Amino acid sequence: MHNLLPGVEGFMYPNEMELQWSVLIVLYPFITGLVAGAFILASLERVFNLEAIRPTYRLALLTALAFLIVAPLPLQLHLGHPERSIEMFLTPHKTSAMAMFGFVYLWYLLAVLVIEIWLEYRPYIVARAQSAAGWSRWFYRAATLGSYNLSPRALRIDDRIGRLITVVGIPSAFLLHGYVGFIFGSIKANPWWSTPLMPIVFLFSAIVSGIAAVLLIYFVYCLARGIPLDMPCLDAMGKFLFYAFLVDFGLEMLDLVHRNYEADESLKTLSFMVETRLFGSQIVLQIIVGTLAPLLLLGLTQLLSLTEAARKGLYATAGALTLIGIFAMRWNVVIGGQLFSKSFLGYTTYKMEFATREGLLPALVLIVLPFLILWALVRIFPPMLEYDPGRKPEANPALPAEPEA
Amino acid sequence: MSVDRRQFLADATKFLLLTGAAGQAWAFVAEGRPQDAPDYDIARHWWAMFIDIEKCIGCGRCVEACKIENDVPDEPFYFRTWVERYYIPARDVTSPRAEDHPKVDSPDGGRHGFPDIYPKEDGSKSFFVPKLCNHCAHSPCVQVCPVGATFESPDGVVLVDKDYCIGCRYCVQACPYGCRFIDPRTNTVDKCSLCYHRITKGLTTACCEVCPTGARQLGDLRNPADPIHELLRTHKVQVLKPNMATGSKVYYNGLDASVR
Ligand code: SF4
Ligand code: SF4
């Protein structure tokens, strides 16, 4: 055969030699997944009044915001003409799944997340606007948006609106990430992507990754601040993670069984790819290290009665492995979907560059960036209820008297 | 078939040249003033192509002509059209379905022809498949473009507005046939335009023009006098990947089941 490029095996259509979507596009579903997952976790507390996970409520919201801010960046960096991306808002093409990204994103950012966070922190913002000095006073004053009313009636209204937004927010979070799955799942040209299960698999893996990320961030935050970890909270998160992961794993297995049983023309090509080029990232990282291992660890915490220290260790390890597994899953979807020829007659390789626009370096920066933003956010909006005036005024004697009432 | 195909083609071509917008335009083109051709009526054409695999000799002149005519990047991996060679080894007891394992190559898109590497007369078969954008009537690439930079013109040609393309590459993923690439010079997508600048002046495409065997023929499905109707009537034709339901308008005669 005439293989002009190293790493190419068999026959690729000539235009297929170059991979179109790079590691940056791997980050995109990974990051939006964390956003959706963290938000859904927060919503559980809010809508179903799950007291156990309350300590992570605000942290989850702030995590969602930090990652949401970064979510469009990998897309922008990847475009051939980022300066034209505004056209997606001005002249969106109605039949394009991708054209809706901007709208779904803005809706989620502005109509859901920012309002919910603002309502949640309003008492705190008002208190700080009155007590802080210097620049931060100005900042918090602006953040009050002119509303200093903290009367029980006003707070009740806040609470009701917050609840409403959460109720709207859950389907929005589903939309945000299910939609990302649809971008891939609706490409009939690509059998690795094309399945109606894709949005659902994306959604559940998003929930899984969101819970794992908030769990780890909660760990780190408490350790850094010297705050004792709340064991009932960790146990509840561990349980959610376990069951969400079971559903996610079940869905992925359903996809696998279905593909193998249906055995359409792409099956041989795809399974060969999984056995060779994707073996490390799919079988080893995604399934063994990133799914079976954390499921086993979490299963142990559900079945055995372990000491607190052991449970903490297991939760943290399982959370970290989970994130590796979900990242590997995104990788396998995005990169895996481009390693085989649409002629089903050959394979290519992805060679990641380093310090180029779509290389490893910008990818690393984009992974670190949300954590920097989160670090800033938790300084402005303290995430632990017991350390500041929470949204239940009667529980906070420190809350200032109502100014205007 | 009782029709003398050659005679028919000659008559039909004459008829085509003497009637319709294309015919009028041709007069100007023949005089070397294509820019003065009368206005092209976009609503009166719907372009397609007929490719006869039986006739293709794999010389690659179409690929070369396309590269020159359309300023396609010279490097090996950018093609608006290319030619593939299929080789299906002889069936034997160990591989009774030899067509499942074709050997396919397309060195530099077939631009310089194909090296003679396969044995002949041993029960194997080999043939060439010229490929290009199928100008799909239900085109997935048009469907997915977020800004509408890829669009189908009313005369049935799928085109790209390079000043509008944001370079997201979604269309490249969505095309089942590998017809699209990103032009490294502009960072926008590129693909076969069916020589739109030529066909709207009454000319045929560069690839059809240079094909020494007439294996590729441009056709206008809205022109009742176009020979393509007779070609489609008298041949058993197929499109690539019919299961994709893209409404492909590049019709192949003699398409083998092994072709992907
Ligand atoms: S062949 Fe590909 S590029 Fe051409 S119209 Fe069809 S989907 Fe679009
Ligand atoms: S690469 Fe250009 S033409 Fe293709 S979908 Fe994106 S914007 Fe549209």
Side-chain angles (χ1 to χ4, degrees):
Chain A
M1 310 284 339
H2 303 268
N3 291 331
L4 295 170
L5 279 188
V8 174
E9 192 185 323
F11 174 71
M12 307 281 294
Y13 295 134
N15 292 332
E16 279 182 328
M17 298 295 176
E18 193 188 334
L19 244 69
Q20 302 298 329
W21 284 352
S22 66
V23 63
L24 293 186
I25 305 297
V26 177
L27 284 184
Y28 161 59
F30 183 66
I31 289 177
T32 49
L34 291 176
V35 175
F39 183 83
I40 289 168
L41 180 69
S43 311
L44 284 179
E45 192 267 22
R46 189 88 200 239
V47 179
F48 301 110
N49 288 321
L50 291 172
E51 290 294 319
I53 54 169
R54 166 159 297 182
T56 61
Y57 174 68
R58 292 176 156 195
L59 210 48
L61 285 184
L62 297 177
T63 303
L65 182 61
F67 279 93
L68 192 64
I69 291 172
V70 176
L73 296 184
L75 295 181
Q76 280 292 337
L77 260 187
H78 158 81
L79 290 183
H81 284 273
E83 79 285 0
R84 294 181 190 162
S85 60
I86 186 75
E87 301 292 353
M88 265 169 66
F89 291 98
L90 303 181
T91 56
H93 185 219
K94 286 193 289 300
T95 62
S96 168
M98 194 183 272
M100 294 304 117
F101 172 75
F103 297 102
V104 174
Y105 176 83
L106 281 185
W107 162 262
Y108 193 73
L109 177 72
L110 300 176
V112 176
L113 207 46
V114 167
I115 298 184
E116 175 142 355
I117 291 176
W118 184 72
L119 287 173
E120 169 65 24
Y121 278 97
R122 218 171 61 80
Y124 176 77
I125 293 171
V126 170
R128 293 285 288 162
Q130 287 161 346
S131 64
W135 279 111
S136 47
R137 183 187 184 100
W138 286 106
F139 172 80
Y140 287 108
R141 276 195 172 183
T144 61
L145 299 180
S147 158
Y148 288 84
N149 186 354
L150 292 181
S151 67
R153 194 175 111 83
L155 290 179
R156 232 176 299 124
I157 294 177
D158 278 7
D159 192 54
R160 218 169 291 150
I161 300 177
R163 211 167 272 271
L164 180 75
I165 289 187
T166 313
V167 171
V168 176
I170 294 177
S172 300
F174 277 50
L175 179 70
L176 177 74
H177 205 64
Y179 162 78
V180 176
F182 187 80
I183 286 188
F184 293 95
S186 60
I187 295 294
K188 68 178 167 190
N190 190 320
W192 186 241
W193 292 343
S194 172
T195 155
L197 274 181
M198 197 61 113
I200 305 180
V201 170
F202 263 51
L203 200 63
F204 272 91
S205 54
I207 295 175
V208 168
S209 69
I211 299 175
V214 173
L215 183 96
L216 289 177
I217 290 170
Y218 177 63
F219 253 99
V220 173
Y221 183 81
C222 288
L223 287 182
R225 286 278 159 120
I227 301 170
L229 286 161
D230 183 317
M231 238 16 236
C233 171
L234 280 185
D235 287 334
M237 298 238 289
K239 189 180 263 166
F240 290 146
L241 183 57
F242 180 62
Y243 288 109
F245 218 158
L246 276 186
V247 176
D248 179 42
F249 187 53
L251 285 169
E252 291 196 33
M253 286 305 106
L254 173 63
D255 184 44
L256 192 77
V257 170
H258 187 89
R259 276 173 195 280
N260 277 283
Y261 196 80
E262 253 195 1
D264 71 10
E265 57 170 350
S266 66
L267 179 72
K268 271 203 186 105
T269 310
L270 297 184
S271 38
F272 183 76
M273 175 178 80
V274 170
E275 284 155 21
T276 54
R277 286 175 192 225
L278 281 189
F279 188 81
S281 59
Q282 174 115 359
I283 307 281
V284 178
L285 273 188
Q286 181 184 334
I287 297 186
I288 298 177
V289 175
T291 304
L292 295 178
L295 273 178
L296 185 75
L297 298 184
L298 291 169
L300 288 180
T301 65
Q302 301 300 309
L303 291 175
L304 309 175
S305 48
L306 301 162
T307 64
E308 281 197 3
R311 290 201 318 271
K312 279 181 197 166
L314 287 181
Y315 291 143
T317 318
L321 292 178
T322 301
L323 284 183
I324 294 175
I326 300 289
F327 184 83
M329 181 252 180
R330 310 296 190 222
W331 174 279
N332 294 324
V333 169
V334 176
I335 302 295
Q338 304 174 80
L339 291 184
F340 62 93
S341 167
K342 286 177 189 149
S343 68
F344 305 136
L345 293 170
Y347 307 87
T348 185
T349 339
Y350 174 49
K351 290 173 218 75
M352 192 160 28
E353 290 159 337
F354 183 65
T356 55
R357 191 158 69 121
E358 296 198 47
L360 181 61
L361 189 63
L364 290 175
V365 170
L366 287 175
I367 277 285
V368 173
L369 196 58
F371 292 100
L372 294 181
I373 296 175
L374 183 62
W375 177 77
L377 282 175
V378 298
R379 305 200 69 135
I380 304 170
F381 302 114
M384 292 299 143
L385 285 164
E386 54 271 44
Y387 291 89
D388 68 73
R391 63 172 196 274
K392 295 247 160 50
E394 60 278 15
N396 292 284
L399 203 69
E402 295 162 26
E404 288 106 346
Chain B
M1 198 63 43
S2 61
V3 179
D4 178 345
R5 205 194 296 165
R6 191 171 298 242
Q7 185 53 40
F8 169 79
L9 281 183
D11 290 344
T13 311
K14 240 183 263 157
F15 185 55
L16 173 70
L17 290 181
L18 295 174
T19 58
Q24 290 169 34
W26 179 250
F28 290 92
V29 172
E31 287 169 31
R33 301 185 288 122
Q35 67 278 12
D36 295 333
D39 281 349
Y40 172 80
D41 185 354
I42 207 167
R44 292 182 52 194
H45 307 272
W46 212 55
W47 297 104
M49 195 175 276
F50 179 86
I51 294 184
D52 196 343
I53 290 177
E54 315 280 357
K55 285 189 183 169
C56 178
I57 54 171
C59 65
R61 289 184 59 187
C62 51
V63 183
E64 183 69 18
C66 178
K67 285 245 182 196
I68 296 167
E69 176 72 25
N70 294 300
D71 188 26
V72 178
D74 204 42
E75 293 93 321
F77 302 121
Y78 306 102
F79 295 96
R80 284 178 169 211
T81 185
W82 69 98
V83 181
E84 295 167 5
R85 170 169 60 180
Y86 276 70
Y87 172 76
I88 293 143
R91 264 162 238 276
D92 61 26
V93 276
T94 56
S95 69
R97 274 189 61 87
E99 64 272 23
D100 287 348
H101 314 286
K103 286 197 164 82
V104 187
D105 63 347
S106 182
D108 199 1
R111 189 178 178 182
H112 312 292
F114 292 79
D116 202 359
I117 50 173
Y118 293 126
K120 292 181 194 67
E121 319 280 330
D122 64 342
S124 64
K125 82 174 161 186
S126 181
F127 50 87
F128 302 100
V129 186
K131 291 203 175 166
L132 70 159
C133 168
N134 296 283
H135 297 279
C136 309
H138 315 293
S139 161
C141 62
V142 170
Q143 182 187 33
V144 302
C145 176
V147 295
T150 282
F151 60 98
E152 190 195 336
S153 66
D155 46 358
V157 183
V158 174
L159 296 170
V160 180
D161 183 342
K162 289 205 163 199
D163 296 329
Y164 219 61
C165 170
I166 61 175
C168 68
R169 307 177 178 222
Y170 202 18
C171 56
V172 187
Q173 306 285 10
C175 172
Y177 309 99
C179 295
R180 297 180 154 245
F181 59 90
I182 292 285
D183 188 329
R185 299 165 303 189
T186 59
N187 283 329
T188 55
V189 84
D190 194 33
K191 68 159 200 58
C192 163
S193 62
L194 213 61
C195 284
Y196 201 67
H197 58 293
R198 290 173 57 97
I199 62 175
T200 51
K201 296 279 186 241
L203 296 169
T204 187
T205 64
C207 56
C208 291
E209 173 116 5
V210 299
C211 178
T213 63
R216 316 170 64 125
Q217 298 191 45
L218 180 73
D220 181 355
L221 296 178
R222 284 224 172 103
N223 177 359
D226 194 302
I228 193 168
H229 298 293
E230 188 60 13
L231 288 172
L232 294 180
R233 192 180 73 74
T234 52
H235 294 76
K236 307 284 180 291
V237 292
Q238 180 57 291
V239 294
L240 293 172
K241 301 193 184 184
N243 58 325
M244 285 286 152
T246 56
S248 164
K249 297 207 300 298
V250 173
Y251 299 93
Y252 287 88
N253 177 47
L255 191 66
D256 192 80
S258 60
V259 176
R260 313 279 171 83

